[in-house]
Structures are given as C-alpha cells and as structure tokens.
Amino acid sequence: MFLGGLLLGGRLADVFGARSMMLTGLVVFILASLASGLAQDENLLISGHLCQGIGAAMLSPAALRALADIFHGTERTPRQISSR
C-alpha cells in the first residue's frame, strides 16, 4: 500500500497542502500502529499494517515537499566535508 499510494499522496499534498496532509498521514499512521500493537488476531494485524502503509504514503511526499519549501538555494546544497 505504501508504494502504490505514494503518487496519490503526492497529488493530495499538492491539492490540500503539505502541512495538512503531513498531519493527516501522521494521525492515520499513529492510529494504525496502535491498532496493530493491540491486535488480537492476524486479520486486525494485517489491516493495521495496511493502514500504516496508507498513512506513510500520505506522510512521506508531504514531508519531502515541506523540506523543499523550507530550504532554498545554497541551504539545499550538500556541503563538502574537508579533511585536514
């Protein structure tokens, strides 16, 4: 679900904004993690992991977009580490 939802998560971040999608994805991921941790049978565990993939697919593209919006120009360029 994670890999399949990355494109959809990126598009939703474009439409609704990176901040709102990041928060929504985080809430979905946390609730799914709680459901997986408290699972009493394998069906609930599998559905919890499925929802974790959906939450991660919403969270990842929005977080990358937020990072790209925060850092500009030379801040985004990796610095060379000089050896002395």
Side-chain angles (χ1 to χ4, degrees), residues 9-71:
R11 179 66 181 144
L12 290 174
D14 288 340
V15 172
F16 296 112
R19 180 179 167 85
S20 63
M21 285 308 297
M22 203 163 52
L23 292 175
T24 304
L26 186 63
V27 168
V28 170
F29 191 83
I30 288 172
L31 292 176
S33 296
L34 180 65
S36 295
L38 299 175
Q40 296 294 320
D41 63 347
E42 61 274 355
N43 292 330
L44 186 58
L45 182 64
I46 291 171
S47 61
H49 284 300
L50 181 81
C51 291
Q52 279 180 331
I54 292 170
M58 291 173 14
L59 179 63
S60 294
L64 290 174
R65 180 169 175 203
L67 284 174
D69 288 343
I70 291 171
F71 297 104

Side-chain angles (χ1 to χ4, degrees), residues 74-80:
T74 57
E75 295 175 332
R76 293 177 68 176
T77 306
R79 295 191 177 116
Q80 295 292 330

